[in-house]
Amino acid sequence: MATPHTSELDLDIERGVALVTLNRPHAMNALSIQMRADLIELATKLDRDADVGAVVFIGAGGKAFCAGADLNERGQKSAQELYDERRYFRSRWINFISSMVKPTIAAINGYCLGGGLELALQCDIRIASEQATFGLPEVTLGFLPGAGATQRLPRAIGLQKAKELILTGRRFGAREAEELGLVARTVPHETLLAGATELARTIAANPRLSVIQAKLALNASQETFVSGGLQFENEAWLSCLLSDAWKGKLERFAGRKDA
Ligand code: DAK
């Protein structure tokens, strides 16, 4: 049973895993301005919460992960209002999940469109229900994906495929998403939440520092030359050496051999 956190988000924290549910099923969990503000605030809070080792994002209602921007809300605003809103939100929204140090998983349980897919692209790992449908329809609406997809999608699936998907705006299913490498795996609809939670638990059970440092080193691989990334990897490795987390693990392993 989901626990309300705000009027449009649920939050449940159990055994090191925070489950964040986008809760606007009447609107296919489309991103209202309020929900976006709440998500930004919550991400910061969860990143600082010592009880949280990994975060799973999912949509309420079983039909949609998130159908993108709330088009009804946007349609009622003037260009000036949209301009002001974007000026405020863009820098906060564009990296609010990707800048988290805790690992994040998008459990994509249905429609994952536009800004919804851009939100999922900020997550470290995406798992999809077989019923999931993806798409970046912005160009068909007279815009372009403006919350990161033009940069993150090519890195995830390659430039040519990203161009095909963004320039046509076509929808595609979970199998294709898996073949493209956009999702790590596709699972039966009814097992999605359990699968994503189990994955998050496995990650959260590992020593916190090594998980965080590994994530940051992996992120660096996408943003620097190899030589810079290898340097970053070395610094990340050395900082793990200064923690005690590894000692017990290695001693137990060595003791097993001695016994
Ligand atoms: N926003 C608001 N409400 C939405 C919604 C959305 N994005 N998507 C669905 N809903 C609402 C529907 O209006 C409907 O509400 P009621 O009529 O029941 O009150 C309810 O969810 C159920 O939707 P449907 O009856 O349409 O359900 P179906 O199963 O038939 O279809 C669907 C589901 C997700 C395929 C369909 O609803 C759909 O195509 N939704 C729109 C998806 C979409 O295009 N999302 C936008 C992605 S692009 C901007 C302009 C554009 C953008 C940003 C800014 N400016 C002008 C600044 C675009 C950004 C994007 O994210």
Side-chain angles (χ1 to χ4, degrees):
M1 182 71 183
T3 313
H5 174 67
T6 64
S7 59
E8 301 186 340
L9 290 180
D10 294 341
L11 173 64
D12 295 278
I13 301 178
E14 210 187 309
R15 289 166 53 203
V17 173
L19 176 66
V20 178
T21 307
L22 313 186
N23 191 4
R24 302 185 75 223
H26 57 283
M28 298 280 167
N29 304 316
L31 296 161
S32 65
I33 292 170
Q34 186 59 53
M35 189 197 266
R36 294 208 294 164
D38 293 345
L39 275 167
I40 291 167
E41 207 179 303
L42 181 57
T44 309
K45 204 169 148 227
L46 294 177
D47 226 15
R48 296 184 65 190
D49 188 335
D51 292 334
V52 173
V55 182
V56 175
F57 293 89
I58 197 165
K63 282 186 77 175
F65 174 72
C66 172
D70 186 321
L71 297 179
N72 291 327
E73 188 181 50
R74 301 232 173 167
Q76 286 162 19
K77 292 196 179 293
S78 67
Q80 183 63 52
E81 285 172 321
L82 290 166
Y83 182 85
D84 291 344
E85 183 228 314
R86 185 171 171 89
R87 255 212 316 217
Y88 171 77
F89 267 114
R90 190 193 164 277
S91 62
R92 292 167 174 82
W93 180 259
I94 205 84
N95 285 322
F96 85 100
I97 297 178
S98 63
S99 64
M100 290 176 74
V101 294
K102 307 278 174 69
T104 53
I105 297 168
I108 300 166
N109 55 329
Y111 289 109
C112 181
L113 302 173
L117 178 47
E118 292 185 297
L119 189 152
L121 279 165
Q122 285 201 41
C123 293
D124 297 311
I125 301 171
R126 289 167 289 284
I127 301 185
S129 143
E130 286 166 353
Q131 295 175 20
T133 299
F134 299 81
L136 289 161
E138 285 87 343
V139 295
T140 71
L141 298 168
F143 276 84
L144 73 155
T150 63
Q151 305 308 302
R152 293 193 171 108
L153 191 65
R155 284 168 172 78
I157 68 170
L159 182 59
Q160 183 171 213
K161 270 293 177 186
K163 282 182 174 167
E164 188 225 313
L165 294 176
I166 289 176
L167 300 184
T168 62
R170 75 171 170 87
R171 289 186 190 163
F172 54 100
R175 285 278 162 230
E176 185 174 350
E178 186 176 347
E179 282 161 18
L180 288 167
L182 178 59
V183 301
R185 72 173 98 119
T186 300
V187 298
H189 189 69
E190 53 290 354
T191 68
L192 176 68
L193 178 56
T197 308
E198 193 187 320
L199 173 61
R201 285 228 166 90
T202 303
I203 293 171
N206 286 328
R208 188 71 51 84
L209 181 68
S210 55
V211 168
I212 289 173
Q213 292 298 78
K215 167 174 168 165
L216 296 180
L218 284 158
N219 284 354
S221 77
Q222 302 301 293
E223 289 172 4
T224 67
F225 291 113
V226 172
S227 56
L230 290 173
Q231 182 62 30
F232 189 102
E233 182 190 74
N234 187 42
E235 301 298 331
W237 191 94
L238 288 170
S239 79
C240 288
L241 194 61
L242 298 176
S243 88
D244 283 341
W246 62 274
K247 283 188 185 150
K249 308 253 176 209
L250 265 59
E251 278 162 13
R252 269 201 296 284
F253 189 78
R256 201 184 59 177
K257 279 191 189 156
D258 290 345

